[in-house]
């Protein structure tokens, strides 16, 4: 006679399994991932910091030093958001997502596991950017404020990626999100240039983007300053709101 | 063990199930037999919480799927039709993740995993990526994973589809062993032979409706034990209670007829006017 497992489970039960699965996959693909995290920043550093920006200073600092924290914010955003692509493949191609749906696990537990895994990818991307900066002689201050901003940024975009992966109806939709949401934000969100040099109306719009605040907070922290409270608040609020969105839409993935 | 009442599922373009009433008893192997598109997978998706019913109720092991979802799901193990394992991970890792998901403690996970991998014949290849295993091995891993948390009900959705006959028989042996241990099994299949070999009772499903339920013998015996097919189009069949009567009919016709045993396919054909395969 089969014995039923204990039914006493809290609302977060199972989230560890979701997170653990993503970590196993991350470890399995670690070389590929780290290489992909390093290639674009290396190109940006070579093209923008050395070829175009050599000798250029921004706010009294070398352009390369300005660029590295921005690249870290952008890379964390892209890598944590890309958890959505992983979910998309698991959902539509390999059908692994159905294993989670069959499990006695709350939507909150599933969302938490995926968002945490996406955030780890984001933080790993930040680490890679820091290492990319070393051969260029860029050593900044990577203290607690820097990592807190990076973590909030990663949680926000991991949550957004998880939530949108629940709403999309296929791979094509996922590609569109990358094209219309992430790429514009990557180029306009204060990664490559100071936002305050834009026309005020455009600067106001760009100030609404979470990445702008991530780049600002991480840059200030990397320069040894306390990040602006407003930027940290926007990042915290974005992380919370996007996580709530992700939690709410998990059930939409059910047919 | 499984009880549904008025289970309906309506999709925007079609009605997949038209009010299914099911009563699957504890410890039995219940086969759900019908052609592709009859609603077999939809029923399993509803019973395992993968999809929401439009109306109707479901109870698994006494737990209502709508109001007591966690306990109902804890009672279910699912081996889906599509192999939904993490292919880059090993069989052991797939089972371990499943055990974590169901709240099993590490020592119990390890013990259960070793036992299931040994029993399903996967132990020696337990640490290879699943993508390197053959279809038959992958199917075994799916069944092992479904049993990991000791479910009371095992759902097998077309467990031998796409497998060659010898591997299919291996899977049947495994399913019989699981049933003999007392696990209730809900099996969907469109293979007549599979339902006849394995099932205690069979439900015949057509276009989202159950047309009959009974033991394979009872479903067949309503027609007689023997059948004679006219060889021309293979669709005209006459049924006889004994082999002698059937043989006499063949002899009287002077050839061009085939004598065979009655199968569930005949039962299905008689009740629906259609063939399963």
């Amino acid at each position: 006679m089969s014995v039923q497992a204990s039914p006493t489970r809290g609302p977060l039960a199972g989230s560890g399994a979701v997170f653990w699965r993503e970590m196993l996959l991350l470890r399995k693909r670690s070389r590929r991932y780290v290489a992909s995290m390093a290639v674009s920043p290396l190109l940006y550093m070579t093209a923008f910091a050395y070829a175009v920006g050599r000798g250029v200073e921004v706010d009294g600092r070398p352009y390369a030093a300005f660029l590295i924290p921005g690249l870290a914010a952008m890379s964390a955003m892209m890598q944590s958001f890309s958890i959505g692509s992983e979910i998309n493949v698991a959902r539509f191609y390999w059908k692994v997502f159905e294993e989670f749906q069959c499990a006695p696990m709350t939507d909150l537990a599933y969302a938490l596991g995926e968002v945490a895994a996406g955030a780890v990818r984001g933080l790993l991307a930040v680490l890679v950017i820091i290492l990319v900066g070393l051969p260029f002689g860029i050593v900044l201050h990577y203290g607690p404020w820097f990592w807190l901003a990076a973590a909030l940024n990663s949680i926000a975009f991991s949550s957004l990626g998880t939530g949108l992966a629940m709403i999309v109806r296929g791979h094509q939709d996922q590609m569109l999100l990358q094209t219309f949401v992430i790429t514009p934000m990557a180029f306009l969100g204060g990664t490559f240039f100071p936002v305050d040099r834009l026309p005020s109306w455009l600067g106001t719009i760009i100030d609404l983007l979470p990445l702008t605040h991530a780049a600002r907070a991480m840059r200030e922290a990397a320069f040894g300053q306390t990040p602006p409270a407003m930027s940290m608040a926007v990042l915290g609020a974005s992380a919370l709101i996007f996580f709530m969105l992700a939690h709410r839409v998990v059930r939409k993935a059910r047919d | 063990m499984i009880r549904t009442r008025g289970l309906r599922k309506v999709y925007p373009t079609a009605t997949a199930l038209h009010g299914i009433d099911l009563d699957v008893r504890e410890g039995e192997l219940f086969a759900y037999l019908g052609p592709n598109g009859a609603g077999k997978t939809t029923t399993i998706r509803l019973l395992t919480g993968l999809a929401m019913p439009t109306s109707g109720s479901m109870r698994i092991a006494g737990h209502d799927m709508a109001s007591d979802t966690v306990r109902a799901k804890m009672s279910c193990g699912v081996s889906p039709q599509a192999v939904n394992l993490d292919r880059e991970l090993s069989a052991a890792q797939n089972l371990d993740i499943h055990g974590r998901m169901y709240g099993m403690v590490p020592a119990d996970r390890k013990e259960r995993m070793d036992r299931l991998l040994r029993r399903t014949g996967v132990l020696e290849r337990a640490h290879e990526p699943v993508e390197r295993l053959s279809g038959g091995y992958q199917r075994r891993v799916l069944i092992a994973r479904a049993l990991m948390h000791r479910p009371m009900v095992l759902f097998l959705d077309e467990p031998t589809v796409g497998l060659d006959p010898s591997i299919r028989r291996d899977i049947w042996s495994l399913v019989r062993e699981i049933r003999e241990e007392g696990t209730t099994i809900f099996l969907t299949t469109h293979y007549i032979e599979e339902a006849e070999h394995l099932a205690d009772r069979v439900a015949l499903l057509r276009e989202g409706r159950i047309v009959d339920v009974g033991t394979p013998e009872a479903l067949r015996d309503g027609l007689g034990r023997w059948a004679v097919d006219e060889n021309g189009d293979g669709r005209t069949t006459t049924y006889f209670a004994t082999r002698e009567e059937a043989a006499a009919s063949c002899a009287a016709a002077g050839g061009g007829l085939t004598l065979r045993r009655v199968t569930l396919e005949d039962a299905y054909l008689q009740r629906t006017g259609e063939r399963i395969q």
Side-chain angles (χ1 to χ4, degrees):
Chain A
M1 185 66 212
S2 302
V3 178
Q4 193 176 1
S6 169
T8 54
R9 292 167 65 84
L12 300 182
S15 59
V18 177
F19 178 75
W20 180 246
R21 169 185 173 268
E22 293 289 355
M23 291 303 101
L24 287 175
L25 290 170
L26 183 64
R27 191 176 68 184
K28 192 92 183 168
R29 305 166 184 164
S30 56
R31 286 184 191 171
R32 270 180 288 162
Y33 278 154
V34 169
S36 73
M37 287 171 186
V39 168
S40 294
L42 271 171
L43 294 174
Y44 288 136
M45 282 297 288
T46 306
F48 295 141
Y50 274 76
V52 179
R54 184 187 285 266
V56 174
E57 287 196 345
V58 179
D59 299 332
R61 294 188 179 89
Y63 181 64
F66 174 87
L67 188 57
I68 281 286
L71 283 179
M74 181 184 82
S75 196
M77 172 189 76
M78 296 181 101
Q79 291 299 330
S80 53
F81 185 81
S82 71
I83 193 72
S85 300
E86 300 292 338
I87 294 170
N88 196 279
V89 171
R91 186 177 159 206
F92 293 109
Y93 193 64
W94 297 121
K95 310 282 184 192
V96 181
F97 183 66
E98 293 187 354
E99 164 77 346
F100 299 129
Q101 286 184 303
C102 286
M105 188 164 53
T106 61
D107 294 342
L108 178 65
Y110 175 74
L112 182 65
E114 292 291 6
V115 168
V120 167
R121 292 163 61 118
L123 292 173
L124 184 62
V126 173
L127 189 63
V128 169
I129 299 295
I130 291 171
L131 295 175
V132 163
L134 295 179
F136 293 89
I138 310 297
V139 180
L140 301 172
H141 181 76
Y142 303 115
W145 281 116
F146 177 86
W147 286 106
L148 178 62
L152 290 174
N153 182 36
S154 298
I155 292 168
F157 284 101
S158 178
S159 299
L160 188 63
T162 300
L164 293 176
M166 296 293 111
I167 296 169
V168 299
R169 291 282 155 212
H171 301 304
Q172 291 298 328
D173 290 355
Q174 193 73 33
M175 296 300 290
L176 288 176
L177 288 174
Q178 196 75 26
T179 305
F180 288 104
V181 179
I182 295 302
T183 304
M185 211 175 327
F187 280 91
L188 298 176
T191 303
F192 298 102
F193 52 84
V195 174
D196 55 17
R197 294 189 185 177
L198 293 170
S200 63
W201 64 271
L202 187 54
T204 304
I205 294 170
I206 288 172
D207 244 357
L208 298 173
L209 304 176
L211 182 65
T212 308
H213 294 277
R216 191 175 289 152
M218 288 170 71
R219 190 168 281 133
E220 289 295 316
F223 293 153
Q225 311 291 319
T226 303
M230 173 60 87
S231 290
M232 294 303 285
V234 169
L235 284 177
S238 302
L240 186 65
I241 291 166
F242 290 153
F243 182 78
M244 286 164 66
L245 165 83
H247 169 218
R248 281 186 68 86
V249 297
V250 169
R251 73 187 57 194
K252 283 196 180 294
R254 249 179 260 274
D255 67 23
Chain B
M1 186 57 68
I2 303 172
R3 181 185 164 95
T4 72
R5 288 294 176 265
L7 197 60
R8 285 179 76 239
K9 180 64 181 176
V10 180
Y11 289 109
T13 52
T15 299
L17 294 178
H18 297 266
I20 297 286
D21 295 337
L22 271 176
D23 285 289
V24 179
R25 298 165 196 152
E26 185 173 346
E28 82 173 332
L29 199 159
F30 189 90
Y32 210 47
L33 182 66
N36 290 330
K40 302 187 300 292
T41 296
T42 299
T43 306
I44 280 202
R45 289 179 68 82
L46 295 178
L47 288 171
T48 57
L50 279 175
M52 307 296 282
T54 306
S55 61
S57 65
M58 301 174 282
R59 293 183 80 82
I60 312 285
H63 306 297
D64 186 82
M65 186 53 98
S67 62
D68 195 4
T69 311
V70 169
R71 284 170 199 262
K73 285 186 169 186
M74 286 294 266
S75 307
C76 301
V78 188
S79 169
Q81 186 174 345
V83 175
N84 69 346
L85 299 162
D86 272 306
R87 290 161 199 247
E88 291 172 72
L89 303 182
S90 68
Q93 286 171 321
N94 272 278
L95 265 63
D96 182 63
I97 291 167
H98 183 94
R100 287 169 185 260
M101 225 179 310
Y102 284 76
M104 296 172 72
V105 297
D108 189 26
R109 281 205 305 272
K110 176 81 173 67
E111 183 274 322
R112 184 73 177 155
M113 192 163 69
D114 287 348
R115 180 150 179 261
L116 286 169
L117 290 171
R118 184 175 299 112
R119 182 171 159 192
T120 50
V122 188
L123 191 60
E124 286 181 8
R125 306 188 65 183
H127 299 287
E128 287 181 39
V130 167
E131 63 196 358
R132 284 197 211 146
L133 303 180
S134 66
Y137 270 102
Q138 290 184 2
R139 191 58 65 176
R140 287 159 181 267
V141 177
L142 272 182
I143 293 173
R145 186 185 68 179
L147 291 169
M148 184 71 185
H149 63 284
R150 301 182 181 89
M152 298 175 85
V153 184
L154 175 63
F155 290 93
L156 298 173
D157 191 4
E158 302 274 7
T160 62
V161 74
L163 301 180
D164 66 42
S166 67
I167 297 170
R168 184 177 297 170
R169 286 194 166 72
D170 289 347
I171 299 285
W172 288 357
S173 299
L174 178 62
V175 171
R176 275 198 211 97
E177 284 174 32
I178 296 164
R179 181 211 171 283
E180 280 162 15
E181 287 184 2
T183 305
T184 305
I185 298 176
F186 187 94
L187 167 93
T188 73
T189 184
H190 66 275
Y191 294 131
I192 305 293
E193 203 187 354
E194 190 158 282
E196 286 186 326
H197 269 76
L198 294 174
D200 297 310
R201 286 195 305 147
V202 179
L204 304 177
L205 189 71
R206 178 182 181 248
E207 293 178 357
R209 291 186 173 87
I210 291 177
V211 293
D212 207 348
V213 184
T215 64
E217 297 75 26
L219 292 171
R220 283 190 307 249
D221 288 355
L223 301 173
R225 296 271 171 110
W226 294 88
V228 173
D229 294 328
E230 282 185 26
N231 287 346
D233 59 3
R235 287 192 162 270
T236 309
T237 303
T238 313
Y239 300 101
F240 298 91
T242 65
R243 192 178 201 288
E244 290 70 29
E245 286 176 58
S249 171
C250 284
L257 302 180
T258 302
L259 175 64
R260 61 173 176 80
R261 280 191 171 277
V262 170
T263 68
L264 281 174
E265 174 92 59
D266 297 293
Y268 192 87
L269 182 64
Q270 279 293 306
R271 285 159 178 81
T272 67
E274 291 177 4
R275 290 184 181 278
I276 294 175
Q277 293 172 317

